[in-house]
Amino acid sequence: MITRRQVLIGVAGSAVLLVAPTIVLGQSGPVTLDEFMELSDILTDNAFSLRDQVGAQYQAALDAAALLKLVNATVRQPNRPRTFNDVLRSGALNDPQNALTTQQILTFWYSGLVNGRTADYIEALAWLTLEPNRTKPPTVKIGFGEWSRRP
């Protein structure tokens, strides 16, 4: 026969199991710059060397609650994604707010613009994705052409 004490111990044990994952995963604190940079690396497939100074500007421009929700769905998960495709497969972007926040983060990194101001123009990812020959304007040879040769 089960005693009242055993039932209470079972209920208390179940409550600990339900509360423990949120404590262990630390899903309540604000998003740190390291977490934002890790998320940015994941979203850009770790293909670039992203700078913390620029990342801090982008993080500050985002809605803190929306960013926290996205970080909780990705970086703070036990089996965290490593690439953008992993994020897609995880279902984290099925939430419209997470999808919008992801779009904002990628727009910041690729354009180098935040709130209408330049945060990182020279190293904006849009420039780094272009072929080297396409980033230089066509030039003409400087000189006098036919006039530079003696008759």
Side-chain angles (χ1 to χ4, degrees), residues 45-77:
D45 287 333
N46 300 299
F48 305 99
S49 181
L50 306 177
R51 299 181 317 164
D52 289 357
Q53 181 182 8
V54 177
Q57 294 178 59
Y58 297 156
Q59 180 181 358
L62 293 166
D63 177 74
L67 179 59
L68 178 62
K69 185 176 181 182
L70 179 59
V71 166
N72 284 338
T74 55
V75 175
R76 292 183 179 175
Q77 290 298 307

Side-chain angles (χ1 to χ4, degrees), residues 19-144:
V19 174
T22 57
I23 294 170
V24 171
L25 295 176
Q27 296 188 0
S28 61
V31 175
T32 66
L33 179 59
D34 287 340
E35 288 174 321
F36 177 75
M37 295 305 292
E38 182 178 354
L39 175 62
S40 296
D41 283 334
I42 291 167
L43 296 177
T44 59
D45 287 333
N46 300 299
F48 305 99
S49 181
L50 306 177
R51 299 181 317 164
D52 289 357
Q53 181 182 8
V54 177
Q57 294 178 59
Y58 297 156
Q59 180 181 358
L62 293 166
D63 177 74
L67 179 59
L68 178 62
K69 185 176 181 182
L70 179 59
V71 166
N72 284 338
T74 55
V75 175
R76 292 183 179 175
Q77 290 298 307
N79 295 325
R80 63 181 65 160
R82 294 289 169 213
T83 65
F84 184 79
N85 283 336
D86 290 347
V87 174
L88 285 175
R89 280 191 287 276
S90 76
L93 300 184
N94 292 341
D95 179 276
Q97 187 177 27
N98 284 347
L100 178 62
T101 304
T102 298
Q103 182 181 16
Q104 289 173 320
I105 292 169
L106 290 172
T107 299
F108 288 158
W109 282 112
Y110 278 87
S111 71
L113 301 174
V114 60
N115 295 331
R117 296 182 52 193
T118 302
D120 192 14
Y121 181 75
I122 300 297
E123 292 187 28
L125 300 185
W127 297 114
L128 300 176
T129 59
L130 295 174
E131 297 174 24
N133 293 336
R134 292 188 169 217
T135 59
K136 297 177 184 174
T139 60
V140 294
K141 186 175 178 180
I142 297 177
F144 296 101

Side-chain angles (χ1 to χ4, degrees), residues 143-151:
F144 296 101
E146 294 294 318
W147 290 96
S148 64
R149 284 192 239 136
R150 290 186 158 182

